[in-house]
Amino acid sequence: MRSDTVTKPSIEMRQVMFEAPVGDDVYGEDPTINQLEEVAAELLGKEAGIFVPSGTMANQMAILAHTERGDEVFIHRDSHVYYYEGGAAAMWSGTTWNLLQGTEGTPSGEILERAIRPTNIHHPRPRLLSLENTHNRAGGAAIDLARMMPSIDVARHHDLLTHLDGARLFNAAVALGISVRDLAAPFDSVSVCLSKGLGAPVGSVLVGSRPFIDRARTFRKWLGGGMRQAGILAAAGLYALTHNVEGLLLDHQRATKLAVALQDMGCQVSVPVTPTNMVMVDLPIEAETMIDALRRYEIFVGAMGTKRLRLVTHLDVDDAGIDHTIGAFSEIYETIHA
Ligand SMILES: Cc1ncc(COP(=O)(O)O)c(C=O)c1O
């Protein structure tokens, strides 16, 4: 339960990978990648898509394609692109970052409005607003459009472009009961990961307008992400989009069952307004001590702070796994309080 990135491809997924027609994608000749890019663009309501090795590369390509060096990017301080991508944007795009506050990783319209400075020679050019859905550091919070739109409206008013890190956008759509297309609609570009809850071994897709994707393709090459007969990976992505979206609901139900059981035994659990497949637990002991204790039960979880754990459900965690985890927490908490 460290992450939904640990899922292993199923036998059925491996079979479609085995059978996938392939070609050299750098020449645009891999039919399976071309199909995945079309399917993803259609699903997300954009003109074009590009298959990339990782969510990080998709986000970095989006920033590169939307900005020039020195431009200002507005982003929540807890966003993955800022917090967990190793400062990559500073290296690749040379942009200036304006870090915003806001509930569940989402800045309000007023917060963004206050952050945008008037255009003059002293200020960087305000260029891009980047949001995230679901929001990882906010505990996998699914953010509805009502909470996204105020800052997007302000961004548009100031002629900023908008990018959505939708690594887990399918989780958000399932939890909110609306389509990924609707959640993606207000954004100029969207990245989605196939290798998280959707269960593919590798890959993300970045979507947007045709000229934007053409530009992003150049940056993928620069970053070394031009792959060759990677249709075997795209086949897994296509399989995931067809077969593994509905199952996300089950992951969410299992996460809720776990959260409720942990709360009932006195654990401090932070529950977002619309939760998905993550459970954040604030501990009375060091997270590393708890991680070691859980490992003895063959339960693997990650820290999200010195005293905070993150547990993530996914298609390789079943009901028995959830019950086993609840039992382990109960025994460990008894020894803590003894
Ligand atoms: C919200 C979010 N965005 C982007 C990424 C990056 O994805 P990758 O690990 O494929 O680079 C992650 C990875 O966990 C994530 O949680």
Side-chain angles (χ1 to χ4, degrees), residues 54-56 59 80 85 132 136 165 167-168 193 195-196 204:
S54 70
T56 300
N59 288 331
H80 191 280
E85 294 185 13
E132 183 176 318
N136 180 12
D165 175 355
R168 298 185 181 83
C193 287
S195 61
K196 300 200 163 61
S204 290

Side-chain angles (χ1 to χ4, degrees), residues 142-215:
I143 314 293
D144 61 17
L145 284 174
R147 285 197 286 161
M148 289 266 171
M149 283 320 292
S151 63
I152 294 172
D153 286 340
V154 170
R156 282 208 193 117
H157 178 72
H158 290 274
D159 289 331
L160 268 63
L161 299 168
T162 52
H163 172 67
L164 178 66
D165 175 355
R168 298 185 181 83
L169 193 64
F170 286 89
N171 292 84
V174 165
L176 295 164
I178 68 170
S179 66
V180 283
R181 194 189 184 88
D182 286 347
L183 286 174
F187 294 91
D188 294 298
S189 61
V190 179
S191 59
V192 291
C193 287
L194 304 163
S195 61
K196 300 200 163 61
L198 294 178
V202 178
S204 290
V205 185
L206 175 66
V207 298
S209 70
R210 173 68 60 193
F212 165 80
I213 293 298
D214 288 346
R215 190 165 145 80

Side-chain angles (χ1 to χ4, degrees), residues 233-270:
L233 302 174
L238 279 166
Y239 181 92
L241 289 174
T242 318
H243 295 90
N244 291 348
V245 175
E246 268 177 34
L248 296 174
L249 187 60
L250 199 54
D251 296 344
H252 299 175
Q253 287 165 349
R254 288 182 173 133
T256 300
K257 179 180 172 187
L258 181 60
V260 169
L262 295 183
Q263 270 171 331
D264 286 351
M265 71 178 76
C267 300
Q268 280 209 348
V269 180
S270 325

Side-chain angles (χ1 to χ4, degrees), residues 19-82:
E19 287 165 7
V22 296
D24 189 329
D25 181 50
V26 176
Y27 290 106
E29 289 172 3
D30 189 304
T32 312
I33 293 185
N34 292 344
Q35 190 191 347
L36 172 63
E37 292 178 348
E38 276 167 31
V39 167
E42 169 66 25
L43 261 177
L44 291 155
K46 305 292 181 203
E47 246 173 17
I50 182 168
F51 181 56
V52 295
S54 70
T56 300
M57 191 181 284
N59 288 331
Q60 294 302 324
M61 281 161 48
I63 295 163
L64 277 160
H66 283 314
T67 62
E68 303 291 340
R69 288 171 69 81
D71 280 351
E72 191 170 27
V73 177
F74 296 84
I75 191 157
H76 194 282
R77 58 174 54 252
D78 277 332
S79 64
H80 191 280
V81 180
Y82 167 68

